[in-house]
Amino acid sequence: MKRILCTTVATVGALIAALGLPAGAAHADSTPRVDLRVLVVSDGGPSTDAIAAELEVAGTPYTEIDLTRADRPVIDAELLADTVDGRPRAKYQAVVLPSDNPFAAGSAEMAALVAYERTYSIPQVDAYTYARPEAGLEYPVEGGYAGSLDGVRAEVTDAGLAGPFGYLDGTVPFEDNSPAVGESYAYLSTPVAGADFTPYVDAAIPGTSRRGSLVGEYRHDGRRELVVTFVYNRHQQQFRLLARGIVAWMTGGVHLGASKNYFAVHVDDVFAADDRWNTELNCTPGDVDCPDGAGTPDPIRMTPADVAHAADWQDGHGFTLDLAYNGAGSVEHREDNGGADPLADRFLADRAEFRWINHTYTHAFLGCEQDTTVVPWRCATEPDGTVRWVGRDTVTDEIATNRVWGTGVGLPLEDDELVTGEHSGTRVLPQQTVDNPHLAPALADTGIAWLASDNSREPQQRQVGRATTVPRHPMNVFYNAGRAAEQVDEYNWIYTSRAQGGSGICEDNPATSTCLTEPLDAATGYAQYIVPLETRTALGHVLAGDPRPHFIHQSNLAEDRIAYPVLDGVLDGYAALFAADTPLVNPRMKEIGAELQRRAAWRSALGEGRVTAYRIGETVTVEAPDGVAVTATMPAGTTLAGAAFGEPYAGGRSGWTPSAGAPLALALPSSPASAPAGTGAPAPVTGPAPDTPVPAGAREQVPYAPAT
């Protein structure tokens, strides 16, 4: 979790009574025990919710108290601290408040928090507060600014780069996704004269040559506060960029849980050909969305030049694509072309440049037998109404034959990974409500441990027999489009109204987030609308620490190569935002599956109260159940059993460590010298903070997450 600066023995002894602790609480070694848990005091607003969400995703324990609930616990000395084995214990290593003081005037709860923070040097995060002298800042009316920051590029100061935000490359762009929506609101102000206030992130104050703080540290009266003066929600890019630093500041870089940024891209249907969208029929001849016999298939298949481009692109970005292949695509091409398949020859020559995943031999649908005489298709049934399923032998053969083919041509495979065609075999609503009962036995027959699933249908991992699913994010770059104009035409068909020539899906499902008010321009719609939207969506997953892979199709690397602008947007955009010590992690499928499994086991143990973690001086002790790996983030130089803990990332070290049911003792490096809290001028008497809601008419726009 998080770290707390240790107060002196004298200070603890002098202040122990102020917290109402027993007179016998003094210990021969009175260095406090600080539990690695965060106290989040929420007002139901988006900012405290965002910080709680960051802790949740990272696996950092926290306790939330909702001030809007009548049955909430009272915040008092007993809730905050006690003694364990005669040693003073701080139950929380940090406090998050919705503002610098969300309580009424003269509040005993705020007084208890102030005493607690002073006694144990507990830092406080003001999740979103008004700029005012009580928070170390001038009022915005005194030469500052209050208003929108849409589209503004804030900057990390030198102090921020040397401190908790050193993983960033320097800029913090604020979103401006829609000119019709107010997405960001902030107070920009300068520190009060004489205040010990250090801005970490600032922006230019409009109409002046000065810069105002957006995130800064205020030291006063024996306390430390991180003062945040802009509103945000958990999805917005500006918060996602700063979230790691907020947690690092409040914990001193010592906390349970870990946060890394992941990006993996699966390319399905390699060696095969994908059917093409027909712009006149508004369907895909040869696929189940077109009636039988409608149109003539015009398949899309990569060329050797496309393979060379993919390999060069990877080299230029330091990134590896995962290719999900169908061996029959090459076999059939050779049969139809006198034994020649230049595409396969080039892929096989460059086989070591890529990672490879079994995608079944023919890309057959492995669920129920499909009745395609109707659109949409339905499951074929026996005369008694029971569903007709693709058999176990057929499923097994699709997996095993493709593996044999891949091994025979020298593909470097992991035999326990599988992507079925269209994620078939698993349930597909509304037609197929359960898994093919023959799927799990076939997976066992072929030794499959990791099975791809569609994150838009099943975002959580689950077991399919002995195999575990790995949910994949579908990118809204269509499998049946090799050219940008085709992508735009299909996009317009799906997301416009019937009156505009579209499918009417949005009229029938008004909650669909990608609905268009008018069709996109065929010539510019892809580059100007679809690419930025898909880039923002995928980069949002990356910044949220989501390891789930994204998937596209080989058709998107052919012809106009329409996938690359989106992938470039993600990779180049990330590189422009983060320092070199915070790289994108590019894992393969089984590694992603294992990461998701470890996270689930860890969260379960936390939720059941089976994890204990605390810091005493420079030692962190963590106890977790046998079989549950411990995840933690620690400063560089931390050791476990004499060896370096974890792996370097974002200036610290983090990782998973098996606990084997025995306590882990982490030795922290000597704490660097830091200024004591409260070296500046005393703060004014702290009164309740003004309400700082999002102004009327302003809201935060949540990035689109594809539903199909």
Side-chain angles (χ1 to χ4, degrees):
M1 189 106 164
K2 296 145 185 165
R3 111 175 161 111
I4 303 310
L5 298 177
C6 293
T7 188
T8 64
V9 172
T11 302
V12 171
L15 292 176
I16 204 166
L19 286 170
L21 299 179
H27 191 277
D29 174 8
S30 57
T31 303
R33 162 179 160 168
V34 181
D35 285 359
L36 300 192
R37 175 173 287 271
V38 175
L39 176 63
V40 178
V41 180
S42 170
D43 62 352
S47 299
T48 48
D49 171 76
I51 293 175
E54 172 67 12
L55 299 174
E56 182 77 24
V57 169
T60 303
Y62 68 97
T63 295
E64 185 168 12
I65 295 177
D66 186 348
L67 296 178
T68 67
R69 294 187 53 163
D71 61 347
R72 69 172 177 86
V74 174
I75 300 172
D76 57 16
E78 183 178 356
L79 181 137
L80 298 170
D82 60 8
T83 61
V84 174
D85 297 329
R87 182 188 298 276
R89 175 176 72 147
K91 297 181 182 179
Y92 307 100
Q93 65 178 139
V95 173
V96 178
L97 298 182
S99 65
D100 63 284
N101 180 1
F103 301 96
S107 167
E109 291 185 293
M110 191 66 210
L113 284 168
V114 168
Y116 175 70
E117 292 171 9
R118 286 174 176 165
T119 301
Y120 292 102
S121 294
I122 303 298
Q124 173 183 306
V125 174
D126 306 334
Y128 167 48
T129 197
Y130 186 67
R132 63 185 190 135
E134 290 88 340
L137 295 169
E138 297 285 2
Y139 292 112
V141 294
E142 303 293 335
Y145 170 79
S148 172
L149 284 191
D150 290 7
V152 167
R153 294 185 73 84
E155 300 285 340
V156 183
T157 67
D158 289 344
L161 291 173
F165 301 102
Y167 58 89
L168 293 174
D169 209 28
T171 62
V172 180
F174 276 61
E175 291 182 346
D176 187 13
N177 299 324
S178 170
V181 175
E183 299 163 43
S184 304
Y185 193 87
Y187 303 102
L188 290 171
S189 186
T190 55
V192 171
D196 186 357
F197 192 102
T198 304
Y200 288 145
V201 181
D202 64 15
I205 298 175
T208 77
S209 60
R210 293 175 291 109
R211 301 185 68 81
S213 178
L214 288 167
V215 182
E217 179 175 335
Y218 180 36
R219 296 172 182 259
H220 66 99
D221 299 339
R223 300 167 59 216
R224 298 167 58 232
E225 294 180 49
L226 191 71
V227 180
V228 183
T229 57
F230 71 94
V231 70
Y232 47 89
N233 70 31
R234 67 171 73 184
H235 303 285
Q236 289 183 296
Q237 178 174 281
Q238 53 265 33
F239 170 71
R240 294 260 39 101
L241 291 173
L242 297 173
R244 177 190 301 277
I246 292 171
V247 173
W249 181 88
M250 73 167 85
T251 65
V254 178
H255 60 89
L256 295 182
S259 178
K260 294 183 179 180
N261 298 328
Y262 301 83
F263 191 50
V265 177
H266 294 183
V267 183
D268 289 4
D269 305 349
V270 170
F271 298 125
D274 289 297
D275 295 320
R276 187 188 305 274
W277 173 256
N278 186 298
T279 58
E280 295 181 357
L281 297 173
N282 290 324
C283 64
T284 311
D287 208 342
V288 294
D289 68 334
C290 260
D292 286 348
T296 302
D298 178 19
I300 309 163
R301 192 171 190 252
M302 291 176 69
T303 66
D306 295 326
V307 178
H309 183 84
D312 290 343
W313 178 87
Q314 287 190 150
D315 290 342
H317 287 84
F319 187 84
T320 302
L321 296 168
D322 293 271
L323 306 186
Y325 74 95
N326 308 107
S330 177
V331 172
E332 292 169 359
H333 191 91
R334 293 188 191 278
E335 290 174 350
D336 295 339
N337 293 275
D341 186 2
L343 171 64
D345 292 342
R346 182 55 192 262
F347 259 132
L348 296 178
D350 291 341
R351 62 174 71 87
E353 299 291 319
F354 306 95
R355 294 192 296 240
W356 298 86
I357 305 174
N358 188 341
H359 193 27
T360 73
Y361 189 60
T362 69
H363 198 279
F365 190 84
L366 301 179
C368 63
E369 293 185 13
Q370 292 177 295
D371 177 358
T372 59
T373 61
V374 293
V375 177
W377 63 271
R378 62 191 174 196
C379 286
T381 58
E382 301 291 353
D384 63 0
T386 58
V387 174
R388 285 164 45 188
W389 298 102
V390 173
R392 176 174 177 174
D393 289 346
T394 299
V395 178
T396 299
D397 287 348
E398 279 286 327
I399 301 168
T401 303
N402 204 47
R403 179 186 293 158
V404 169
W405 185 88
T407 302
V409 298
L411 298 183
L413 296 176
E414 294 287 344
D415 285 346
D416 53 357
E417 299 176 333
L418 178 69
V419 180
T420 57
E422 302 176 54
H423 303 104
S424 60
T426 57
R427 52 187 177 238
V428 181
L429 299 177
Q431 294 99 325
Q432 183 186 315
T433 59
V434 297
D435 295 343
N436 181 345
H438 303 302
L439 176 63
L443 298 178
D445 292 343
T446 51
I448 299 300
W450 306 103
L451 175 67
S453 63
D454 186 336
N455 186 80
S456 66
R457 300 197 309 239
E458 295 190 84
Q460 302 302 321
Q461 277 189 306
R462 67 180 177 93
Q463 293 300 119
V464 181
R466 298 177 183 175
T468 305
T469 61
V470 180
R472 305 190 303 166
H473 289 292
M475 301 190 85
N476 228 8
V477 181
F478 302 139
Y479 80 98
N480 51 4
R483 304 184 182 107
E486 295 165 350
Q487 167 81 14
V488 173
D489 184 85
E490 185 174 4
Y491 203 93
N492 283 338
W493 161 252
I494 295 172
Y495 297 121
T496 59
S497 67
R498 293 180 179 90
Q500 295 170 322
S503 67
I505 285 176
C506 286
E507 294 164 274
D508 300 337
N509 303 277
T512 305
S513 58
T514 42
C515 296
L516 299 171
T517 56
E518 60 183 7
L520 302 176
D521 183 273
T524 63
Y526 186 66
Q528 295 183 3
Y529 183 88
I530 297 175
V531 168
L533 179 59
E534 288 308 303
T535 298
R536 189 165 66 247
T537 298
L539 187 56
H541 296 153
V542 171
L543 299 183
D546 185 351
R548 294 171 178 82
H550 294 72
F551 72 95
I552 55 175
H553 296 79
Q554 63 84 32
S555 53
N556 307 140
L557 305 185
E559 299 180 354
D560 286 356
R561 300 170 180 167
I562 62 176
Y564 289 111
V566 176
L567 302 183
D568 287 341
V570 174
L571 296 176
D572 295 344
Y574 185 89
L577 295 170
F578 288 88
D581 68 354
T582 312
L584 269 177
V585 181
N586 176 216
R588 69 173 303 131
M589 181 171 156
K590 65 189 304 179
E591 294 166 342
I592 295 168
E595 171 72 15
L596 292 172
Q597 274 192 327
R598 287 191 296 259
R599 290 187 185 190
W602 176 249
R603 289 196 186 102
S604 177
L606 287 177
E608 295 167 1
R610 296 188 295 150
V611 176
T612 301
Y614 55 88
R615 175 179 181 174
I616 299 175
E618 303 308 317
T619 300
V620 171
T621 302
V622 185
E623 299 180 47
D626 188 11
V628 175
V630 170
T631 178
T633 298
M634 298 287 150
T638 299
T639 59
L640 175 63
F645 169 77
E647 299 174 344
Y649 194 82
R653 297 189 71 89
S654 58
W656 293 93
T657 302
S659 68
L664 301 177
L666 300 169
L668 301 175
S670 298
S671 298
S674 60
T679 58
V685 175
T686 300
D691 289 336
T692 51
V694 183
R699 66 182 177 88
E700 295 79 39
Q701 183 166 304
V702 178
Y704 163 64
T708 59

